[in-house]
Short mmCIF file of all heavy atoms in Angstrom, two decimals:
data_model
loop_
_atom_site.label_atom_id
_atom_site.label_comp_id
_atom_site.label_asym_id
_atom_site.label_seq_id
_atom_site.Cartn_x
_atom_site.Cartn_y
_atom_site.Cartn_z
N LEU C 398 -11.23 -1.39 -21.76
CA LEU C 398 -10.83 -0.18 -21.03
C LEU C 398 -12.06 0.47 -20.40
O LEU C 398 -12.04 0.88 -19.23
CB LEU C 398 -10.11 0.79 -21.96
CG LEU C 398 -9.66 2.11 -21.31
CD1 LEU C 398 -8.74 1.87 -20.12
CD2 LEU C 398 -8.98 3.00 -22.35
N GLU C 399 -13.14 0.57 -21.16
CA GLU C 399 -14.38 1.14 -20.61
C GLU C 399 -14.95 0.26 -19.51
O GLU C 399 -15.46 0.76 -18.50
CB GLU C 399 -15.41 1.33 -21.72
CG GLU C 399 -15.10 2.49 -22.65
CD GLU C 399 -15.00 3.81 -21.89
OE1 GLU C 399 -15.89 4.10 -21.06
OE2 GLU C 399 -14.01 4.54 -22.10
N MET C 400 -14.86 -1.05 -19.68
CA MET C 400 -15.32 -1.96 -18.63
C MET C 400 -14.52 -1.74 -17.35
O MET C 400 -15.09 -1.70 -16.24
CB MET C 400 -15.16 -3.42 -19.10
CG MET C 400 -16.06 -3.81 -20.25
SD MET C 400 -15.66 -5.47 -20.89
CE MET C 400 -16.08 -6.49 -19.46
N ALA C 401 -13.20 -1.59 -17.49
CA ALA C 401 -12.34 -1.41 -16.33
C ALA C 401 -12.61 -0.07 -15.64
O ALA C 401 -12.60 0.02 -14.40
CB ALA C 401 -10.87 -1.52 -16.74
N LYS C 402 -12.85 0.98 -16.43
CA LYS C 402 -13.12 2.30 -15.84
C LYS C 402 -14.40 2.27 -14.99
O LYS C 402 -14.48 2.94 -13.95
CB LYS C 402 -13.25 3.34 -16.95
CG LYS C 402 -11.92 3.74 -17.58
CD LYS C 402 -12.15 4.76 -18.69
CE LYS C 402 -10.83 5.22 -19.30
NZ LYS C 402 -11.05 6.20 -20.40
N LYS C 403 -15.39 1.51 -15.43
CA LYS C 403 -16.63 1.42 -14.67
C LYS C 403 -16.43 0.61 -13.38
O LYS C 403 -17.03 0.91 -12.35
CB LYS C 403 -17.72 0.78 -15.52
CG LYS C 403 -18.18 1.66 -16.67
CD LYS C 403 -19.23 0.96 -17.52
CE LYS C 403 -19.67 1.85 -18.68
NZ LYS C 403 -20.65 1.16 -19.57
N ARG C 404 -15.58 -0.40 -13.46
CA ARG C 404 -15.35 -1.25 -12.29
C ARG C 404 -14.36 -0.63 -11.33
O ARG C 404 -14.48 -0.80 -10.11
CB ARG C 404 -14.85 -2.62 -12.75
CG ARG C 404 -14.65 -3.60 -11.60
CD ARG C 404 -14.51 -5.00 -12.09
NE ARG C 404 -14.17 -5.92 -11.03
CZ ARG C 404 -13.95 -7.21 -11.19
NH1 ARG C 404 -14.08 -7.76 -12.39
NH2 ARG C 404 -13.64 -7.99 -10.18
N PHE C 405 -13.36 0.08 -11.86
CA PHE C 405 -12.32 0.68 -11.01
C PHE C 405 -12.20 2.17 -11.30
O PHE C 405 -11.17 2.63 -11.80
CB PHE C 405 -10.97 0.00 -11.26
CG PHE C 405 -10.99 -1.50 -11.10
CD1 PHE C 405 -10.86 -2.33 -12.20
CD2 PHE C 405 -11.13 -2.08 -9.84
CE1 PHE C 405 -10.87 -3.71 -12.06
CE2 PHE C 405 -11.15 -3.46 -9.70
CZ PHE C 405 -11.02 -4.28 -10.80
N PRO C 406 -13.23 2.95 -11.02
CA PRO C 406 -13.19 4.39 -11.34
C PRO C 406 -12.07 5.09 -10.59
O PRO C 406 -11.86 4.86 -9.40
CB PRO C 406 -14.56 4.89 -10.90
CG PRO C 406 -15.05 3.89 -9.90
CD PRO C 406 -14.49 2.57 -10.34
N GLY C 407 -11.33 5.94 -11.31
CA GLY C 407 -10.27 6.72 -10.69
C GLY C 407 -8.95 6.00 -10.54
O GLY C 407 -7.96 6.61 -10.11
N LEU C 408 -8.89 4.71 -10.91
CA LEU C 408 -7.65 3.94 -10.78
C LEU C 408 -6.99 3.78 -12.16
O LEU C 408 -7.66 3.87 -13.19
CB LEU C 408 -7.92 2.57 -10.18
CG LEU C 408 -8.42 2.53 -8.74
CD1 LEU C 408 -8.69 1.09 -8.31
CD2 LEU C 408 -7.44 3.19 -7.80
N PRO C 409 -5.68 3.51 -12.19
CA PRO C 409 -5.03 3.22 -13.48
C PRO C 409 -5.65 1.96 -14.09
O PRO C 409 -5.81 0.95 -13.39
CB PRO C 409 -3.56 3.00 -13.10
CG PRO C 409 -3.40 3.65 -11.77
CD PRO C 409 -4.71 3.52 -11.08
N ASN C 410 -5.99 2.01 -15.37
CA ASN C 410 -6.65 0.87 -16.00
C ASN C 410 -5.97 0.47 -17.31
O ASN C 410 -6.64 -0.04 -18.22
CB ASN C 410 -8.13 1.18 -16.23
CG ASN C 410 -8.93 1.13 -14.94
OD1 ASN C 410 -8.91 0.13 -14.23
ND2 ASN C 410 -9.60 2.22 -14.60
N SER C 411 -4.66 0.71 -17.40
CA SER C 411 -3.91 0.19 -18.54
C SER C 411 -3.88 -1.34 -18.45
O SER C 411 -4.21 -1.93 -17.41
CB SER C 411 -2.48 0.72 -18.53
OG SER C 411 -1.78 0.21 -17.40
N LEU C 412 -3.48 -1.99 -19.53
CA LEU C 412 -3.39 -3.46 -19.51
C LEU C 412 -2.41 -3.91 -18.44
O LEU C 412 -2.68 -4.87 -17.70
CB LEU C 412 -2.97 -3.98 -20.89
CG LEU C 412 -2.86 -5.50 -21.02
CD1 LEU C 412 -4.18 -6.18 -20.67
CD2 LEU C 412 -2.44 -5.88 -22.44
N ASP C 413 -1.27 -3.24 -18.32
CA ASP C 413 -0.30 -3.58 -17.28
C ASP C 413 -0.92 -3.45 -15.90
O ASP C 413 -0.76 -4.34 -15.04
CB ASP C 413 0.93 -2.68 -17.38
CG ASP C 413 1.89 -3.11 -18.48
OD1 ASP C 413 1.63 -4.14 -19.13
OD2 ASP C 413 2.90 -2.42 -18.69
N ALA C 414 -1.61 -2.34 -15.66
CA ALA C 414 -2.20 -2.09 -14.34
C ALA C 414 -3.24 -3.16 -14.00
O ALA C 414 -3.31 -3.64 -12.86
CB ALA C 414 -2.82 -0.70 -14.29
N LEU C 415 -4.05 -3.54 -14.98
CA LEU C 415 -5.07 -4.55 -14.73
C LEU C 415 -4.45 -5.91 -14.49
O LEU C 415 -4.93 -6.67 -13.62
CB LEU C 415 -6.04 -4.61 -15.91
CG LEU C 415 -6.95 -3.38 -16.06
CD1 LEU C 415 -7.68 -3.43 -17.39
CD2 LEU C 415 -7.94 -3.30 -14.91
N CYS C 416 -3.41 -6.24 -15.22
CA CYS C 416 -2.73 -7.52 -14.98
C CYS C 416 -2.18 -7.58 -13.56
O CYS C 416 -2.32 -8.59 -12.86
CB CYS C 416 -1.61 -7.72 -16.00
SG CYS C 416 -2.17 -8.15 -17.66
N ARG C 417 -1.56 -6.48 -13.12
CA ARG C 417 -1.04 -6.47 -11.74
C ARG C 417 -2.18 -6.58 -10.73
O ARG C 417 -2.05 -7.28 -9.72
CB ARG C 417 -0.23 -5.20 -11.51
CG ARG C 417 1.15 -5.21 -12.19
CD ARG C 417 2.01 -4.04 -11.72
NE ARG C 417 1.51 -2.78 -12.25
CZ ARG C 417 1.93 -2.23 -13.39
NH1 ARG C 417 2.84 -2.86 -14.13
NH2 ARG C 417 1.45 -1.07 -13.81
N ARG C 418 -3.29 -5.90 -11.00
CA ARG C 418 -4.42 -5.92 -10.06
C ARG C 418 -5.01 -7.32 -9.94
O ARG C 418 -5.43 -7.74 -8.86
CB ARG C 418 -5.48 -4.94 -10.55
CG ARG C 418 -6.57 -4.61 -9.54
CD ARG C 418 -7.38 -3.42 -10.01
NE ARG C 418 -6.53 -2.25 -10.20
CZ ARG C 418 -6.70 -1.33 -11.13
NH1 ARG C 418 -7.72 -1.43 -11.98
NH2 ARG C 418 -5.90 -0.30 -11.23
N PHE C 419 -5.03 -8.06 -11.07
CA PHE C 419 -5.62 -9.40 -11.05
C PHE C 419 -4.58 -10.50 -10.83
O PHE C 419 -4.92 -11.69 -10.89
CB PHE C 419 -6.35 -9.66 -12.37
CG PHE C 419 -7.59 -8.83 -12.56
CD1 PHE C 419 -7.81 -8.12 -13.73
CD2 PHE C 419 -8.56 -8.75 -11.56
CE1 PHE C 419 -8.96 -7.37 -13.92
CE2 PHE C 419 -9.71 -8.00 -11.73
CZ PHE C 419 -9.91 -7.31 -12.91
N GLY C 420 -3.33 -10.13 -10.58
CA GLY C 420 -2.29 -11.13 -10.32
C GLY C 420 -1.90 -11.94 -11.54
O GLY C 420 -1.55 -13.11 -11.43
N ILE C 421 -1.93 -11.32 -12.73
CA ILE C 421 -1.58 -12.00 -13.98
C ILE C 421 -0.11 -11.74 -14.29
O ILE C 421 0.35 -10.60 -14.23
CB ILE C 421 -2.48 -11.49 -15.13
CG1 ILE C 421 -3.94 -11.85 -14.84
CG2 ILE C 421 -2.04 -12.07 -16.47
CD1 ILE C 421 -4.93 -11.16 -15.76
N ASP C 422 0.63 -12.78 -14.64
CA ASP C 422 2.07 -12.71 -14.86
C ASP C 422 2.41 -11.80 -16.04
O ASP C 422 1.95 -12.02 -17.16
CB ASP C 422 2.62 -14.12 -15.10
CG ASP C 422 4.12 -14.14 -15.27
OD1 ASP C 422 4.78 -13.13 -14.96
OD2 ASP C 422 4.65 -15.18 -15.72
N LEU C 423 3.24 -10.78 -15.77
CA LEU C 423 3.66 -9.83 -16.80
C LEU C 423 5.14 -9.99 -17.16
O LEU C 423 5.68 -9.15 -17.87
CB LEU C 423 3.44 -8.39 -16.30
CG LEU C 423 2.03 -7.80 -16.46
CD1 LEU C 423 1.93 -6.49 -15.70
CD2 LEU C 423 1.69 -7.59 -17.91
N SER C 424 5.78 -11.03 -16.69
CA SER C 424 7.23 -11.12 -16.81
C SER C 424 7.71 -11.15 -18.26
O SER C 424 8.83 -10.73 -18.55
CB SER C 424 7.73 -12.37 -16.08
OG SER C 424 7.16 -13.55 -16.62
N GLN C 425 6.87 -11.62 -19.19
CA GLN C 425 7.31 -11.71 -20.59
C GLN C 425 7.00 -10.44 -21.38
O GLN C 425 7.39 -10.31 -22.54
CB GLN C 425 6.61 -12.89 -21.28
CG GLN C 425 6.96 -14.24 -20.68
CD GLN C 425 6.30 -15.38 -21.44
OE1 GLN C 425 6.45 -15.49 -22.66
NE2 GLN C 425 5.56 -16.20 -20.75
N ARG C 426 6.33 -9.48 -20.76
CA ARG C 426 5.89 -8.30 -21.51
C ARG C 426 6.95 -7.19 -21.44
O ARG C 426 6.81 -6.22 -20.71
CB ARG C 426 4.55 -7.79 -20.99
CG ARG C 426 3.88 -6.79 -21.95
CD ARG C 426 2.50 -6.41 -21.48
NE ARG C 426 1.77 -5.72 -22.53
CZ ARG C 426 1.38 -4.45 -22.45
NH1 ARG C 426 1.66 -3.71 -21.39
NH2 ARG C 426 0.72 -3.90 -23.45
N THR C 427 7.99 -7.34 -22.24
CA THR C 427 9.04 -6.31 -22.28
C THR C 427 8.74 -5.27 -23.35
O THR C 427 9.23 -4.14 -23.27
CB THR C 427 10.40 -6.96 -22.55
OG1 THR C 427 10.33 -7.73 -23.76
CG2 THR C 427 10.78 -7.90 -21.39
N THR C 428 7.97 -5.65 -24.38
CA THR C 428 7.50 -4.71 -25.39
C THR C 428 6.02 -5.00 -25.65
O THR C 428 5.49 -6.01 -25.19
CB THR C 428 8.28 -4.84 -26.72
OG1 THR C 428 8.13 -6.18 -27.20
CG2 THR C 428 9.74 -4.51 -26.52
N HIS C 429 5.36 -4.12 -26.42
CA HIS C 429 3.94 -4.28 -26.71
C HIS C 429 3.77 -5.21 -27.91
O HIS C 429 3.44 -4.77 -29.01
CB HIS C 429 3.30 -2.92 -26.98
CG HIS C 429 3.11 -2.12 -25.74
ND1 HIS C 429 1.89 -1.60 -25.36
CD2 HIS C 429 3.99 -1.75 -24.78
CE1 HIS C 429 2.03 -0.93 -24.23
NE2 HIS C 429 3.30 -1.01 -23.86
N ASN C 430 3.98 -6.49 -27.69
CA ASN C 430 3.78 -7.49 -28.73
C ASN C 430 2.31 -7.85 -28.79
O ASN C 430 1.71 -8.19 -27.78
CB ASN C 430 4.63 -8.72 -28.41
CG ASN C 430 4.36 -9.88 -29.34
OD1 ASN C 430 3.39 -10.60 -29.15
ND2 ASN C 430 5.21 -10.03 -30.34
N ALA C 431 1.69 -7.77 -29.98
CA ALA C 431 0.25 -7.95 -30.09
C ALA C 431 -0.20 -9.34 -29.66
O ALA C 431 -1.24 -9.48 -29.00
CB ALA C 431 -0.21 -7.66 -31.53
N LEU C 432 0.56 -10.38 -30.00
CA LEU C 432 0.14 -11.73 -29.66
C LEU C 432 0.16 -11.95 -28.14
O LEU C 432 -0.77 -12.52 -27.57
CB LEU C 432 1.02 -12.76 -30.36
CG LEU C 432 0.62 -14.23 -30.15
CD1 LEU C 432 -0.83 -14.46 -30.60
CD2 LEU C 432 1.56 -15.16 -30.90
N LEU C 433 1.23 -11.48 -27.49
CA LEU C 433 1.29 -11.60 -26.03
C LEU C 433 0.19 -10.76 -25.39
O LEU C 433 -0.45 -11.18 -24.42
CB LEU C 433 2.66 -11.17 -25.52
CG LEU C 433 2.83 -11.17 -23.99
CD1 LEU C 433 2.57 -12.55 -23.40
CD2 LEU C 433 4.22 -10.67 -23.61
N ASP C 434 -0.05 -9.57 -25.94
CA ASP C 434 -1.05 -8.69 -25.36
C ASP C 434 -2.45 -9.30 -25.40
O ASP C 434 -3.22 -9.15 -24.46
CB ASP C 434 -1.06 -7.34 -26.08
CG ASP C 434 0.13 -6.46 -25.66
OD1 ASP C 434 0.92 -6.90 -24.81
OD2 ASP C 434 0.24 -5.33 -26.17
N VAL C 435 -2.81 -9.98 -26.49
CA VAL C 435 -4.14 -10.57 -26.54
C VAL C 435 -4.26 -11.74 -25.58
O VAL C 435 -5.33 -12.00 -25.01
CB VAL C 435 -4.55 -11.01 -27.98
CG1 VAL C 435 -4.75 -9.80 -28.86
CG2 VAL C 435 -3.58 -11.98 -28.59
N GLN C 436 -3.16 -12.45 -25.35
CA GLN C 436 -3.19 -13.54 -24.38
C GLN C 436 -3.40 -13.00 -22.96
O GLN C 436 -4.18 -13.55 -22.18
CB GLN C 436 -1.91 -14.37 -24.48
CG GLN C 436 -1.81 -15.16 -25.78
CD GLN C 436 -0.42 -15.72 -26.04
OE1 GLN C 436 0.53 -15.41 -25.32
NE2 GLN C 436 -0.30 -16.54 -27.05
N LEU C 437 -2.72 -11.89 -22.66
CA LEU C 437 -2.92 -11.25 -21.36
C LEU C 437 -4.32 -10.67 -21.25
O LEU C 437 -4.99 -10.81 -20.22
CB LEU C 437 -1.88 -10.15 -21.15
CG LEU C 437 -0.42 -10.60 -21.04
CD1 LEU C 437 0.51 -9.39 -21.03
CD2 LEU C 437 -0.21 -11.44 -19.79
N LEU C 438 -4.78 -10.03 -22.34
CA LEU C 438 -6.09 -9.41 -22.31
C LEU C 438 -7.19 -10.46 -22.17
O LEU C 438 -8.23 -10.19 -21.55
CB LEU C 438 -6.32 -8.57 -23.57
CG LEU C 438 -7.62 -7.78 -23.62
CD1 LEU C 438 -7.73 -6.83 -22.42
CD2 LEU C 438 -7.73 -6.99 -24.92
N GLY C 439 -6.98 -11.65 -22.72
CA GLY C 439 -7.95 -12.72 -22.54
C GLY C 439 -8.16 -13.04 -21.07
O GLY C 439 -9.29 -13.27 -20.62
N GLN C 440 -7.06 -13.05 -20.30
CA GLN C 440 -7.17 -13.31 -18.87
C GLN C 440 -7.84 -12.14 -18.14
O GLN C 440 -8.65 -12.34 -17.24
CB GLN C 440 -5.78 -13.56 -18.29
CG GLN C 440 -5.09 -14.78 -18.89
CD GLN C 440 -3.68 -14.96 -18.34
OE1 GLN C 440 -3.51 -15.22 -17.15
NE2 GLN C 440 -2.68 -14.82 -19.19
N VAL C 441 -7.50 -10.92 -18.56
CA VAL C 441 -8.13 -9.73 -17.96
C VAL C 441 -9.63 -9.73 -18.25
O VAL C 441 -10.45 -9.44 -17.37
CB VAL C 441 -7.47 -8.44 -18.49
CG1 VAL C 441 -8.30 -7.21 -18.13
CG2 VAL C 441 -6.06 -8.31 -17.92
N TYR C 442 -10.00 -10.05 -19.48
CA TYR C 442 -11.41 -10.07 -19.87
C TYR C 442 -12.19 -11.08 -19.02
O TYR C 442 -13.32 -10.80 -18.57
CB TYR C 442 -11.52 -10.40 -21.35
CG TYR C 442 -12.93 -10.43 -21.89
CD1 TYR C 442 -13.78 -9.33 -21.77
CD2 TYR C 442 -13.41 -11.56 -22.57
CE1 TYR C 442 -15.07 -9.35 -22.28
CE2 TYR C 442 -14.70 -11.58 -23.09
CZ TYR C 442 -15.52 -10.48 -22.93
OH TYR C 442 -16.79 -10.51 -23.44
N LEU C 443 -11.62 -12.24 -18.79
CA LEU C 443 -12.24 -13.24 -17.93
C LEU C 443 -12.51 -12.68 -16.55
O LEU C 443 -13.61 -12.84 -15.99
CB LEU C 443 -11.35 -14.48 -17.84
CG LEU C 443 -11.76 -15.56 -16.84
CD1 LEU C 443 -13.11 -16.16 -17.21
CD2 LEU C 443 -10.70 -16.65 -16.75
N GLU C 444 -11.52 -11.97 -16.00
CA GLU C 444 -11.69 -11.37 -14.67
C GLU C 444 -12.76 -10.28 -14.68
O GLU C 444 -13.59 -10.19 -13.77
CB GLU C 444 -10.37 -10.80 -14.18
CG GLU C 444 -9.26 -11.82 -13.95
CD GLU C 444 -9.48 -12.65 -12.69
OE1 GLU C 444 -10.47 -12.40 -11.97
OE2 GLU C 444 -8.68 -13.57 -12.44
N LEU C 445 -12.75 -9.43 -15.70
CA LEU C 445 -13.73 -8.35 -15.78
C LEU C 445 -15.16 -8.87 -15.95
O LEU C 445 -16.12 -8.20 -15.56
CB LEU C 445 -13.39 -7.41 -16.94
CG LEU C 445 -12.15 -6.53 -16.76
CD1 LEU C 445 -11.84 -5.80 -18.06
CD2 LEU C 445 -12.33 -5.54 -15.61
N MET C 446 -15.28 -10.05 -16.54
CA MET C 446 -16.60 -10.64 -16.74
C MET C 446 -17.07 -11.47 -15.55
O MET C 446 -18.10 -12.12 -15.62
CB MET C 446 -16.58 -11.51 -18.01
CG MET C 446 -16.44 -10.71 -19.28
SD MET C 446 -17.87 -9.64 -19.60
CE MET C 446 -19.10 -10.86 -20.06
N GLY C 447 -16.29 -11.47 -14.48
CA GLY C 447 -16.75 -12.17 -13.28
C GLY C 447 -15.72 -13.06 -12.63
O GLY C 447 -15.96 -13.64 -11.59
N GLY C 448 -14.57 -13.18 -13.24
CA GLY C 448 -13.51 -13.94 -12.60
C GLY C 448 -13.55 -15.41 -12.93
O GLY C 448 -14.43 -15.91 -13.63
N LYS C 449 -12.57 -16.14 -12.40
CA LYS C 449 -12.44 -17.57 -12.65
C LYS C 449 -13.62 -18.30 -12.03
O LYS C 449 -13.99 -18.07 -10.90
CB LYS C 449 -11.11 -18.08 -12.09
CG LYS C 449 -9.91 -17.41 -12.71
CD LYS C 449 -8.64 -17.89 -12.05
CE LYS C 449 -7.42 -17.26 -12.70
NZ LYS C 449 -7.38 -15.81 -12.56
N GLN C 450 -14.20 -19.21 -12.81
CA GLN C 450 -15.38 -19.91 -12.35
C GLN C 450 -15.04 -20.89 -11.24
O GLN C 450 -14.03 -21.58 -11.30
CB GLN C 450 -16.01 -20.68 -13.52
CG GLN C 450 -16.41 -19.79 -14.68
CD GLN C 450 -16.91 -20.61 -15.84
OE1 GLN C 450 -17.64 -21.55 -15.67
NE2 GLN C 450 -16.50 -20.25 -17.04
N PRO C 451 -15.88 -20.99 -10.20
CA PRO C 451 -15.63 -21.95 -9.13
C PRO C 451 -15.52 -23.36 -9.69
O PRO C 451 -16.28 -23.77 -10.55
CB PRO C 451 -16.87 -21.80 -8.24
CG PRO C 451 -17.41 -20.46 -8.56
CD PRO C 451 -17.09 -20.21 -10.00
N GLY C 452 -14.55 -24.12 -9.17
CA GLY C 452 -14.38 -25.49 -9.60
C GLY C 452 -13.50 -25.65 -10.81
O GLY C 452 -13.23 -26.75 -11.24
N LEU C 453 -13.03 -24.53 -11.40
CA LEU C 453 -12.16 -24.61 -12.55
C LEU C 453 -10.81 -24.02 -12.20
O LEU C 453 -10.73 -22.97 -11.58
CB LEU C 453 -12.74 -23.84 -13.74
CG LEU C 453 -14.06 -24.36 -14.31
CD1 LEU C 453 -14.50 -23.46 -15.45
CD2 LEU C 453 -13.94 -25.78 -14.78
N ALA C 454 -9.74 -24.68 -12.60
CA ALA C 454 -8.40 -24.13 -12.44
C ALA C 454 -7.90 -23.75 -13.81
O ALA C 454 -8.05 -24.51 -14.77
CB ALA C 454 -7.47 -25.18 -11.80
N LEU C 455 -7.31 -22.56 -13.94
CA LEU C 455 -6.82 -22.10 -15.24
C LEU C 455 -5.31 -22.33 -15.30
O LEU C 455 -4.57 -21.87 -14.44
CB LEU C 455 -7.13 -20.62 -15.42
CG LEU C 455 -8.63 -20.28 -15.42
CD1 LEU C 455 -8.81 -18.81 -15.72
CD2 LEU C 455 -9.39 -21.12 -16.42
N ALA C 456 -4.88 -23.04 -16.32
CA ALA C 456 -3.46 -23.32 -16.48
C ALA C 456 -2.99 -22.79 -17.80
O ALA C 456 -3.71 -22.84 -18.80
CB ALA C 456 -3.21 -24.83 -16.42
N THR C 457 -1.78 -22.22 -17.86
CA THR C 457 -1.24 -21.71 -19.10
C THR C 457 -0.68 -22.87 -19.91
O THR C 457 0.22 -23.58 -19.46
CB THR C 457 -0.12 -20.70 -18.82
OG1 THR C 457 -0.69 -19.64 -18.04
CG2 THR C 457 0.42 -20.13 -20.11
N ALA C 458 -1.20 -23.05 -21.11
CA ALA C 458 -0.74 -24.10 -21.99
C ALA C 458 0.30 -23.53 -22.93
O ALA C 458 0.67 -22.37 -22.86
CB ALA C 458 -1.92 -24.70 -22.76
N GLY C 459 0.81 -24.35 -23.87
CA GLY C 459 1.80 -23.88 -24.81
C GLY C 459 1.30 -22.69 -25.59
O GLY C 459 0.16 -22.63 -26.00
N GLY C 460 2.17 -21.69 -25.77
CA GLY C 460 1.77 -20.49 -26.48
C GLY C 460 1.05 -19.48 -25.62
O GLY C 460 0.62 -18.46 -26.09
N GLY C 461 0.90 -19.80 -24.34
CA GLY C 461 0.31 -18.84 -23.42
C GLY C 461 -1.20 -18.86 -23.38
O GLY C 461 -1.81 -18.11 -22.64
N SER C 462 -1.86 -19.74 -24.16
CA SER C 462 -3.32 -19.77 -24.12
C SER C 462 -3.78 -20.49 -22.87
O SER C 462 -3.04 -21.23 -22.23
CB SER C 462 -3.86 -20.48 -25.36
OG SER C 462 -3.39 -21.80 -25.44
N LEU C 463 -5.03 -20.26 -22.51
CA LEU C 463 -5.57 -20.82 -21.28
C LEU C 463 -6.31 -22.11 -21.58
O LEU C 463 -7.03 -22.22 -22.55
CB LEU C 463 -6.53 -19.82 -20.62
CG LEU C 463 -5.90 -18.50 -20.20
CD1 LEU C 463 -6.97 -17.61 -19.60
CD2 LEU C 463 -4.80 -18.74 -19.19
N ARG C 464 -6.17 -23.07 -20.70
CA ARG C 464 -6.91 -24.31 -20.77
C ARG C 464 -7.59 -24.54 -19.44
O ARG C 464 -7.11 -24.12 -18.40
CB ARG C 464 -5.97 -25.49 -21.06
CG ARG C 464 -5.18 -25.35 -22.36
CD ARG C 464 -6.06 -25.45 -23.57
NE ARG C 464 -5.29 -25.46 -24.80
CZ ARG C 464 -5.81 -25.42 -26.00
NH1 ARG C 464 -7.11 -25.32 -26.15
NH2 ARG C 464 -5.05 -25.44 -27.06
N VAL C 465 -8.70 -25.28 -19.47
CA VAL C 465 -9.37 -25.63 -18.23
C VAL C 465 -8.74 -26.89 -17.69
O VAL C 465 -8.71 -27.92 -18.36
CB VAL C 465 -10.87 -25.86 -18.47
CG1 VAL C 465 -11.56 -26.24 -17.18
CG2 VAL C 465 -11.50 -24.62 -19.05
N ALA C 466 -8.19 -26.81 -16.49
CA ALA C 466 -7.58 -27.97 -15.85
C ALA C 466 -8.60 -28.60 -14.91
O ALA C 466 -8.96 -28.00 -13.90
CB ALA C 466 -6.34 -27.55 -15.06
N PRO C 467 -9.14 -29.81 -15.22
CA PRO C 467 -10.16 -30.41 -14.37
C PRO C 467 -9.59 -30.80 -13.02
O PRO C 467 -8.39 -31.06 -12.88
CB PRO C 467 -10.59 -31.64 -15.17
CG PRO C 467 -9.43 -31.97 -16.05
CD PRO C 467 -8.78 -30.65 -16.38
N ALA C 468 -10.45 -30.84 -12.03
CA ALA C 468 -10.01 -31.26 -10.70
C ALA C 468 -9.58 -32.71 -10.75
O ALA C 468 -10.07 -33.52 -11.54
CB ALA C 468 -11.16 -31.08 -9.70
#
Side-chain angles (χ1 to χ4, degrees):
L398 179 57
E399 286 302 312
M400 293 172 65
K402 286 179 178 179
K403 291 178 181 178
R404 183 166 174 182
F405 306 110
L408 294 178
N410 286 305
S411 66
L412 181 57
D413 281 357
L415 290 170
C416 285
R417 286 190 289 268
R418 193 168 301 146
F419 291 130
I421 297 168
D422 183 13
L423 277 170
S424 60
Q425 297 183 54
R426 195 174 193 245
T427 56
T428 59
H429 286 235
N430 173 279
L432 184 57
L433 176 59
D434 284 359
V435 292
Q436 291 167 352
L437 294 172
L438 185 57
Q440 299 177 65
V441 167
Y442 181 56
L443 172 63
E444 295 286 357
L445 290 172
M446 291 295 288
K449 300 176 178 63
Q450 301 175 42
L453 297 179
L455 298 184
T457 301
S462 60
L463 298 178
R464 302 291 187 187
V465 179

